[in-house]
């Protein structure tokens, strides 16, 4: 029924990832934040076609360590975003796997 009503918008995202499993709805700013592989997307809820992308890859040294540990460099040695939480009026708190070396940061969202 939704397909027939033409109310669906496809998001192609990243060509090398289907890892979109962390979400944060920020009704105050009318944003939907989506954590992915090496990226955080920020969608405008008023016009969902409008989005911004924050690139947050793992460091080269951590990726190399992951590879040397026998992990798959394309599927495992990345920064998979696992935590997105509103911290205060201007920042989000975000954490990622960091290629098996977890890392967290504050992201200014204004």
């Amino acid at each position: 029924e939704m397909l027939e009503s033409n109310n669906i918008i496809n998001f192609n995202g990243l060509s090398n990832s289907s890892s979109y499993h962390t979400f944060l709805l920020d009704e105050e700013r009318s944003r939907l934040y989506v954590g992915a592989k090496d990226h955080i997307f920020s969608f405008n809820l008023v016009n969902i076609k409008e989005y911004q992308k924050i690139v947050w890859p793992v460091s080269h040294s951590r990726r190399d360590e992951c590879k040397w540990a026998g992990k798959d460099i394309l599927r495992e040695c990345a920064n998979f975003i696992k935590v997105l939480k509103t911290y205060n009026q201007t920042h989000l708190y975000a954490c990622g796997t960091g290629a098996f070396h977890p890392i967290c940061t504050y992201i200014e969202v204004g």
Side-chain angles (χ1 to χ4, degrees):
E1 185 177 314
M2 289 179 71
L3 284 173
E4 292 172 4
S5 69
N6 207 20
N7 285 335
I8 294 179
I9 298 169
N10 288 327
F11 173 66
N12 296 326
L14 305 170
S15 60
N16 64 345
S17 177
S18 61
S19 179
Y20 306 101
H21 46 41
T22 305
F23 300 92
L24 173 64
L25 180 62
D26 185 345
E27 292 179 273
E28 187 176 309
R29 290 182 196 83
S30 295
R31 306 299 296 184
L32 172 65
Y33 299 98
V34 179
K37 177 183 175 186
D38 295 326
H39 294 79
I40 298 170
F41 293 93
S42 173
F43 292 93
N44 181 337
L45 292 178
V46 175
N47 182 357
I48 202 74
K49 290 180 183 179
E50 291 180 19
Y51 68 90
Q52 297 171 332
K53 178 172 55 172
I54 300 167
V55 181
W56 188 19
V58 70
S59 70
H60 293 291
S61 61
R62 291 291 188 207
R63 188 179 62 214
D64 289 345
E65 286 177 27
C66 180
K67 182 178 84 174
W68 295 330
K71 305 291 183 184
D72 184 309
I73 195 164
L74 296 176
R75 289 189 288 141
E76 298 176 293
C77 299
N79 189 27
F80 295 95
I81 310 307
K82 297 291 186 178
V83 174
L84 290 172
K85 179 147 179 58
T86 303
Y87 179 70
N88 60 23
Q89 297 288 351
T90 60
H91 288 79
L92 295 179
Y93 183 66
C95 296
T97 61
F100 299 95
H101 289 87
I103 184 169
C104 296
T105 192
Y106 296 95
I107 299 171
E108 185 174 351
V109 292

